[in-house]
Amino acid sequence: MNAPLVLNTRDGMCWLRRAVTRDGAALYAPEGVCACPEFVMATQAELAEHGIVGSADVLPVPAAETHAALEDTLGTLLAQHTELEALRARVAELEGEHATSRTVDEDPIAYTLTPKALDVADRLTALLAPTQVQRLDGDA
């Protein structure tokens, strides 16, 4: 499609391309109108009847403002990246301390048992207790 992005008509209206028909014709809506039904939009031919005085394939962007905004954003991102790296290093340090100062058996999260698992463990202990006593008596 080679339809321009923006059309200006003789009456001072600025029309932006907002949709395309099934056959590929561009549909334009007045600038500032974000939601416009297709049956209300105008084609380039319809706007030509009102007199097209200008068109553009791209929208202008002020370079100086964009460059300054990009520099500000880049500075913010670099500061956040530095902070993120410091936090990652601290997490790695804490994980290293955790791994050396605490055994897996002491980890309450890894060994939180459900009530059913506790019941099974109690029954197993009661079942094995007499054999443990006999084993200990035999060692003495």
Side-chain angles (χ1 to χ4, degrees):
M1 169 177 45
N2 292 334
L5 182 63
V6 179
L7 291 174
N8 295 317
T9 55
R10 193 176 314 135
D11 59 3
M13 288 287 297
C14 180
W15 297 77
L16 299 175
R17 187 175 68 212
R18 296 286 187 195
V20 178
T21 62
R22 288 183 188 175
D23 60 349
L27 295 175
Y28 295 87
E31 181 181 33
V33 177
C34 294
C36 186
E38 287 188 13
F39 66 89
V40 178
M41 293 185 193
T43 63
Q44 188 173 358
E46 292 168 338
L47 292 175
E49 293 175 7
H50 295 278
I52 296 174
V53 293
S55 66
D57 293 324
V58 294
L59 294 175
V61 176
E65 291 176 15
T66 302
H67 185 70
L70 286 175
E71 281 184 347
D72 289 343
T73 303
L74 180 61
T76 303
L77 289 174
L78 288 174
Q80 290 175 347
H81 178 71
T82 304
E83 182 181 351
L84 177 63
E85 289 303 315
L87 290 172
R88 284 183 175 158
R90 179 68 178 140
V91 167
E93 177 186 334
L94 291 174
E95 286 177 342
E97 289 175 11
H98 176 73
T100 58
S101 66
R102 201 171 189 188
T103 64
V104 176
D105 294 337
E106 296 173 341
D107 191 353
I109 295 172
Y111 286 97
T112 301
L113 298 177
T114 63
K116 184 177 180 181
L118 287 171
D119 183 47
V120 169
D122 290 342
R123 285 188 286 145
L124 186 58
T125 301
L127 179 69
L128 295 176
T131 60
Q132 294 298 322
V133 171
Q134 289 174 357
R135 187 176 63 90
L136 292 174
D137 288 342
D139 291 342

